Amino acid sequence: MDERELYQGNEAVQEYGTAQEDNAVPAGGTQGADGKGKKKRRILAAAFLAMLIAAVLAVLVYVRYFSFPKGYEDYTVQKEQYFVEYSEEYDYWDVITVEYPRLEGIEDTVQEQINQSLYDAAIDRVTYWHLEPSDDVKAFQEEFFSVFASDVNCDVTYHSQYLLSVDYREFYAAGNPVWMTNGTERALTADLLTGQTYELDDILEVNRDFAILWDKSLSDDRNEEYADDENIDILLSWFLKSDEEVNRDFFCHSFFYITEDKEFVIGISLDPVLDYAYTYEPITRSYCTRLNMEELEAFKKQSDFWELYEKSEAVGEVLPCEDKKENIWLGESASIWDWDYNR
C-alpha cells in the first residue's frame, strides 16, 4: 500500500463522520445504532490497513539489509613476482621485476577472472613495449632499444568482503635506463561477487567541477597555486581523453583506489605512445590526490559499486611476496638513480 491509498482510507473515515452528522436521528433510533456499527468497521479497516503497510515496510527492510549477499571473509591475497633477468630471447637485454597480487578463497570462476585482471594490470606496460609490441613499437625498438627494464610494485590498499583495491607503481625503461626511463601509476578495484572491475568514470561523473576539485586538492598537497581556466580545460581533456593531439603522443588513463580508511586516491597518468619515451632523465607523468566521500558525493553515478562500498568492512589477509627480487636497473638501490644527468 502506498501513502495515497492510506490517505484515501482516512478520507473515507472523515466522509463517514460527515454523513453521520447529516443523517442524525434521535437517540434510540435504529439508524444511530447502524451508524455506530459502520463507524466501528471503518476504524477496524483503517487499523488493518496500517498494519499491512507496516508489514510491507518490514519485508522491504529485510530484503534490503538481510538478504544482501554475505560476501567473502576468509580469503587471502598472495603477492607474487614475474621475474626475468637477461633472458637472451630478444635482440636487446631484458630485466623485468613485476609484482602482482593473486587472490585465493572465493568462487573459482570469479577468482580466475579477477586474478587475470590483476596480472594484466601489473604487466600492462611490459606487454605494450616488450611482450606484444605493435609494428610501430617494433620499429621503435629497432632504432632505440638496448635494454628494456621494468620494475612494478603493488600495494593492496583495501580488501573487504565485497571489494579488492590495488595500486601499481612502475618505472620502466623503454630502450635505455639512463635516457629513457618513465614512471607511471595505475590501479584496479574489483567486485569479489561478480569479477567486475571499476573504472573511474563507472562510479563518478568526471566534469569541469570535478577537475577543479581534484586540482585544488592536488595543489594543496603540493603547496602550489590553483590552476587557471586554461589549465583546468587541459586537465579535464586528459581525464576525458578528448584532446586528439595529446592522444597521438600519450595514453591518458585515469585511475582510483580505495584506502584503508575508505577514502579515495584519484589520479591521472600519461604514458608515452612512442617518441616521448625518450626522456633524457627519469620522468613521471602521473599525478594523484586523496579525496573523501563527502567531497565526492556530488559526483556519484548510479552504480552497484556504491552499495558494495557502503556495506564493506575490512576482511581478508594480504601476504607478502616470497623471495622478492630487486631490479638491477630500476630497483630502489639501483645505481641509475645516482647518475649525473648534468654531465
Side-chain angles (χ1 to χ4, degrees):
M1 288 289 182
D2 60 19
E3 293 181 358
R4 183 178 59 189
E5 291 171 319
L6 180 58
Y7 171 79
Q8 289 172 343
N10 290 333
E11 186 178 47
V13 173
Q14 292 169 359
E15 289 175 352
Y16 168 78
T18 303
Q20 283 291 76
E21 293 175 3
D22 292 341
N23 297 292
V25 296
T30 56
Q31 187 165 343
D34 239 8
K36 288 180 180 180
K38 290 181 179 179
K39 184 174 182 179
K40 184 177 181 180
R41 287 195 294 273
R42 296 280 189 178
I43 292 172
L44 290 173
F48 175 78
L49 181 60
M51 288 189 295
L52 181 60
I53 291 173
V56 170
L57 291 175
V59 170
L60 292 175
V61 168
Y62 178 85
V63 169
R64 179 174 176 81
Y65 292 101
F66 295 97
S67 67
F68 196 81
K70 181 180 178 182
Y72 299 97
E73 295 184 1
D74 299 323
Y75 65 86
T76 60
V77 183
Q78 172 70 62
K79 293 184 181 182
E80 299 186 348
Q81 187 182 56
Y82 174 87
F83 173 73
V84 173
E85 191 171 291
Y86 300 136
S87 68
E88 299 184 356
E89 295 181 17
Y90 301 89
D91 295 332
Y92 50 85
W93 290 342
D94 54 338
V95 177
I96 303 169
T97 50
V98 175
E99 185 183 42
Y100 62 93
R102 179 171 53 81
L103 175 65
E104 295 180 346
I106 69 170
E107 194 275 325
D108 288 347
T109 303
V110 175
Q111 179 174 291
E112 181 179 356
Q113 179 181 343
I114 293 176
N115 280 335
Q116 188 64 54
S117 297
L118 292 169
Y119 179 79
D120 290 346
I123 208 162
D124 175 79
R125 292 295 83 197
V126 175
T127 300
Y128 176 79
W129 286 108
H130 177 62
L131 297 177
E132 299 177 10
S134 66
D135 290 341
D136 288 339
V137 172
K138 287 178 181 178
F140 188 87
Q141 289 175 344
E142 291 176 3
E143 184 173 359
F144 294 109
F145 269 40
S146 57
V147 176
F148 175 79
S150 170
D151 185 47
V152 178
N153 291 281
C154 73
D155 182 18
V156 181
T157 61
Y158 186 71
H159 43 98
S160 76
Q161 71 272 46
Y162 303 118
L163 296 170
L164 181 69
S165 201
V166 182
D167 178 41
Y168 302 89
R169 294 174 184 258
E170 177 181 17
F171 279 101
Y172 62 92
N176 185 302
V178 177
W179 309 115
M180 306 176 76
T181 292
N182 289 265
T184 189
E185 185 173 2
R186 52 192 171 272
L188 182 146
T189 297
D191 178 346
L192 299 182
L193 300 178
T194 66
Q196 177 182 355
T197 57
Y198 295 97
E199 301 290 340
L200 182 65
D201 60 5
D202 291 330
I203 67 169
L204 294 175
E205 186 70 39
V206 179
N207 54 28
R208 203 168 194 283
D209 288 339
F210 173 85
I212 292 171
L213 170 69
W214 186 90
D215 173 74
K216 286 182 177 179
S217 179
L218 180 67
S219 298
D220 288 342
D221 291 343
R222 297 184 169 196
N223 197 26
E224 297 175 349
E225 293 184 1
Y226 299 153
D228 57 20
D229 288 345
E230 181 179 357
N231 283 315
I232 288 295
D233 289 339
I234 292 172
L235 174 62
L236 182 58
S237 74
W238 293 353
F239 273 104
L240 299 180
K241 304 177 185 179
S242 59
D243 189 318
E244 294 183 3
E245 184 175 350
V246 171
N247 292 341
R248 282 196 296 269
D249 295 323
F250 295 97
F251 297 105
C252 300
H253 66 92
S254 57
F255 62 89
F256 81 92
Y257 60 86
I258 308 169
T259 68
E260 61 182 7
D261 52 1
K262 297 187 73 171
E263 293 189 334
F264 291 78
V265 173
I266 298 175
I268 184 78
S269 281
L270 279 71
D271 287 317
V273 173
L274 289 173
D275 294 340
Y276 281 88
Y278 210 107
T279 59
Y280 300 97
E281 63 181 273
I283 188 171
T284 297
R285 302 185 185 92
S286 291
Y287 316 91
C288 64
T289 189
R290 180 182 291 225
L291 294 164
N292 60 44
M293 194 61 256
E294 183 179 356
E295 294 171 305
L296 295 173
E297 187 68 35
F299 304 99
K300 285 171 59 175
K301 282 185 173 180
Q302 289 290 332
S303 170
D304 293 340
F305 168 84
W306 291 113
E307 189 165 19
L308 297 173
Y309 168 82
E310 289 166 5
K311 295 181 182 297
S312 282
E313 298 177 357
V315 298
E317 183 180 12
V318 179
L319 303 175
C321 180
E322 300 175 1
D323 192 26
K324 183 178 177 180
K325 303 291 194 304
E326 184 173 349
N327 193 291
I328 59 175
W329 282 107
L330 300 174
E332 289 185 7
S333 60
S335 59
I336 191 67
W337 308 118
D338 298 326
W339 184 271
D340 181 4
Y341 289 91
N342 295 317
R343 58 181 165 182

